[in-house]
Each structure stands twice: as C-alpha cells, then as structure tokens.
C-alpha cells in the first residue's frame, strides 16, 4: 500500500517547453531518491492537452533506460520477457498521470468537455473532481460531482474529490457542517472505491498564501476520518485525506505531521519542479 499521495495540479499552466524542463528536473531528482520515495504516490495533473505528451515523454525515459541495460548487459531485447520489459520501461516513471476534470456523460454533444474514457486511453489513472475552481467557476454542484465520480470509477479512474468551505462559511463557524454535506453529497454510495480520496481545500487558502492552522486542519481531518469510518466503511478498500491550499516546501512538513493527513494537493508550487520534489522528499 502506498501510504502517501502527493498531487501536482498544474491548472492552466505549463505547456511543452516548461513541461520538458519540469520533467527533466523532476525525473533526475527522483532517480536519485527513488527508493526513499517508494511509499509515496506522486500524481501529476497537467492541462488535458498535455497529458498525452507528458505520457510519451515519460515513456521515452523508460526506453532510454532499456537501451542502456541492453548495451551494458550485451543482451538482445528478445532475451527479456514481456513483463521484464514493461517493468524496466515503467521503473523510471516518477509520476502517475491525472486530469483536472472530466464530464459525467460517457460521450455526446458536450463542446469543450472531456470524457473519462478518453482520459483513461491517454494514460490517466487519476482525475481531480469538484475542485472549487470548477464548483465556483463552472457552477458544479455536489450532485454533478457525484455523477462525475461515478463515471470516473466506471472508466477505472481514481477520483480525487475536492471539498472545502469559503471564508464566509468559515467566519460563520459553519465549516464542519458545510464540509460534511459536501462530502456526503459528492461521494456516490452505490459504488466501490479501491481508494477513496478526499482533498480538503479551503477556498480561502487556495492561491492566497494563507494556510489554516494545524488545529484547523486537524479538526477537518478528524471529521473526514469519522465520515470514512461511519458512513463509507463498506464502499472503499483504502481511504486518503489530502490537504490542499498554499502548500509550500516550507509548510508541507508540519501539515504532514497532522494526524489523519495522508497527502497533499499542490497548486502553484507544483509548477516549480525543484520545490515540488522537496515536498515529495519531505513526505517520504
Ligand atoms: P495552491 O492551489 O497550492 O496554489 O493554493 C491548490 C489547489 O488549488 O489545488
């Protein structure tokens, strides 16, 4: 079991050149600390048009590694089984790929939208759903998020379900009730999850440089754990609670020290390969 999940959400940033530089730096750092990071699942969520490109760049790294093994061991490719070849090619991949959204319908007339099935086909394993930038900017209700989660699961994607209150709700001291309702209504009950991942991202913390106190994160982590145990105990094999909102290399360690936090969802800072790697290394 992977014990920690660190997600890079590039949002609408990083196209080809920046992605190349990021991958070069991150892959190099990762190769040096691969063993230490083995309990850490790192998920990269680029813009949707970049996913296929990133996937093939990562594949290239694997082929280069295979080439050097063949040369060093003076062997022919036919001497390796299919499983050995796959494991060599995939061993260099520092990250799994994820998308930032998908539609709840399988296909149809939905201009500009992306289907879960197509994401799976281009190499995605994860999908962020219900991010507040979708809930607020694209008017996505809990019910829409729940439908998306269901479709993602049907297409064998692992959803990362985001929840989190606004500043107004926090100031009114209604955050626990709000997050509870968001989770209960965004997680479909008639499905099975291998991993049920809830990312708590208070809206007032996203992109603002302001993070909740450790006590505030702890309070939500406790709530989520209670919901996992009492409400979802028979729909998921594993549970993860991620924290997201102004995570940096500097604050990541103490956020990780909060009981119940199993991972991080990193926005702005994930654009910087070095700092994002530092966060992964701390997590490990
Ligand atoms: P941030 O974004 O790290 O830039 O605050 C987090 C997110 O929106 O997932």
């Amino acid at each position: 079991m992977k014990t920690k999940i660190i997600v890079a959400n590039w949002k609408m940033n990083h196209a080809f050149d920046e992605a190349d530089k990021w991958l070069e730096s991150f892959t190099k750092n990762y190769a040096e600390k691969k063993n230490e990071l083995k309990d850490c699942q790192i998920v990269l969520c680029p813009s949707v048009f970049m996913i296929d490109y990133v996937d093939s760049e990562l594949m290239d790294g694997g082929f280069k590694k295979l080439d050097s093994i063949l040369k060093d061991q003076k062997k022919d490719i036919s001497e390796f089984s299919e499983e050995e070849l796959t494991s060599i090619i995939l061993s260099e991949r520092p990250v799994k790929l994820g998308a930032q959204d998908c539609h709840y319908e399988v296909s149809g007339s939905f201009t500009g939208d992306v289907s879960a099935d197509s994401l799976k086909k281009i190499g995605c394993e994860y999908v962020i759903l219900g991010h507040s930038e979708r809930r607020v900017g694209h008017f996505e209700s809990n019910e829409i998020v729940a439908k998306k989660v269901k479709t993602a699961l049907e297409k064998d994607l692992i959803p990362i379900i985001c929840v989190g209150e606004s500043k107004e709700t926090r100031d009114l001291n209604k955050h626990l009730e709000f997050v509870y309702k968001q989770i209960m209504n965004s997680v479909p009950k008639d499905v099975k999850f291998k991993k049920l991942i809830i990312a708590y991202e208070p809206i007032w913390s996203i992109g603002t440089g302001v993070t909740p106190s450790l006590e505030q994160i702890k309070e939500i982590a406790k709530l989520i754990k209670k919901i996992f145990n009492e409400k979802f105990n028979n729909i998921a094999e594993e549970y993860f609670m991620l924290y997201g909102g102004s995570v940096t290399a500097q604050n990541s360690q103490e956020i990780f020290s909060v009981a119940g936090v199993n991972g991080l969802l990193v926005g702005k800072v994930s654009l910087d390969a070095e700092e994002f790697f530092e966060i992964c290394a701390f997590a490990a």
Side-chain angles (χ1 to χ4, degrees):
M1 171 178 128
K2 295 277 181 188
T3 51
K4 283 156 193 158
I5 300 178
I6 315 289
V7 185
N9 177 10
W10 279 0
K11 308 192 179 185
M12 203 171 68
N13 299 294
H14 275 3
F16 303 95
D17 289 352
E18 297 115 317
D20 283 346
K21 282 189 201 124
W22 193 99
L23 288 172
E24 195 185 325
S25 157
F26 195 81
T27 308
K28 189 165 156 272
N29 282 328
Y30 181 86
E32 281 162 20
K33 295 226 166 144
K34 205 162 85 180
N35 286 338
E36 287 163 49
L37 288 161
K38 65 180 182 329
D39 290 334
C40 208
Q41 184 63 76
I42 306 164
V43 182
L44 172 60
C45 303
S47 291
V48 71
F49 76 99
M50 287 298 296
I51 296 171
D52 192 34
Y53 177 78
V54 171
D55 187 48
S56 53
E57 289 298 296
L58 291 170
M59 212 52 113
D60 267 5
F63 285 124
K64 278 187 195 134
K65 162 119 188 206
L66 176 62
D67 266 355
S68 76
I69 289 178
L70 293 176
K71 267 189 210 133
D72 291 351
Q73 301 185 6
K74 298 192 177 39
K75 280 189 175 169
D76 186 77
I77 199 162
S78 59
E79 294 173 64
F80 290 86
S81 69
E82 206 170 302
E83 273 127 46
E84 284 169 330
L85 291 175
T86 313
S87 123
I88 294 170
I89 289 165
L90 296 185
S91 69
E92 289 305 284
R93 283 178 87 98
V95 295
K96 302 245 184 220
L97 287 172
Q100 299 170 15
D101 182 43
C102 72
H103 201 277
Y104 56 81
E105 290 291 352
V106 175
S107 63
S109 302
F110 301 101
T111 304
D113 279 309
V114 180
S115 75
D117 194 36
S118 60
L119 293 175
K120 186 72 193 177
K121 284 185 179 140
I122 57 171
C124 274
E125 290 180 57
Y126 289 79
V127 59
I128 297 173
L129 294 173
H131 190 285
S132 62
E133 285 154 16
R134 304 279 328 163
R135 289 179 184 268
V136 177
H138 296 260
F139 312 107
E140 289 184 7
S141 62
N142 291 328
E143 290 66 33
I144 288 180
V145 175
K147 281 185 359 181
K148 290 183 174 201
V149 171
K150 213 168 162 178
T151 308
L153 289 172
E154 276 162 16
K155 296 297 165 190
D156 199 25
L157 292 169
I158 301 169
I160 299 165
I161 306 164
C162 299
V163 295
E165 80 287 355
S166 64
K167 173 94 175 61
E168 293 70 34
T169 305
R170 168 70 61 171
D171 289 346
L172 289 169
N173 203 24
K174 294 230 155 71
H175 53 285
L176 289 178
E177 193 185 321
F178 182 86
V179 170
Y180 177 83
K181 275 201 194 132
Q182 250 188 342
I183 297 177
M184 291 310 292
N185 294 326
S186 302
V187 176
K189 320 290 175 307
D190 52 345
V191 290
K192 292 267 184 247
F193 291 80
K194 275 198 208 100
K195 290 180 185 173
L196 175 50
I197 308 174
I198 304 285
Y200 170 60
E201 298 204 303
I203 299 175
W204 47 276
S205 175
I206 295 176
T208 58
V210 179
T211 47
S213 68
L214 299 185
E215 268 313 305
Q216 287 173 323
I217 299 177
K218 194 167 153 195
E219 186 187 36
I220 299 283
K222 234 170 112 182
L223 170 76
I224 294 181
K225 189 169 175 205
K226 195 166 149 57
I227 300 176
F228 284 156
N229 289 338
E230 290 178 7
K231 305 287 178 189
F232 301 144
N233 57 358
N234 49 11
I235 63 169
E237 287 171 28
E238 284 186 90
Y239 302 101
F240 294 85
M241 183 257 177
L242 314 189
Y243 168 78
S246 296
V247 173
T248 61
Q250 218 185 355
N251 64 24
S252 63
Q253 256 175 317
E254 53 173 23
I255 294 175
F256 253 127
S257 71
V258 175
V261 174
N262 318 109
L264 300 170
L265 177 42
V266 190
K268 187 158 172 254
V269 161
S270 75
L271 296 172
D272 179 331
E274 294 279 339
E275 187 166 352
F276 182 66
F277 183 78
E278 255 181 78
I279 294 175
C280 299
F282 283 149

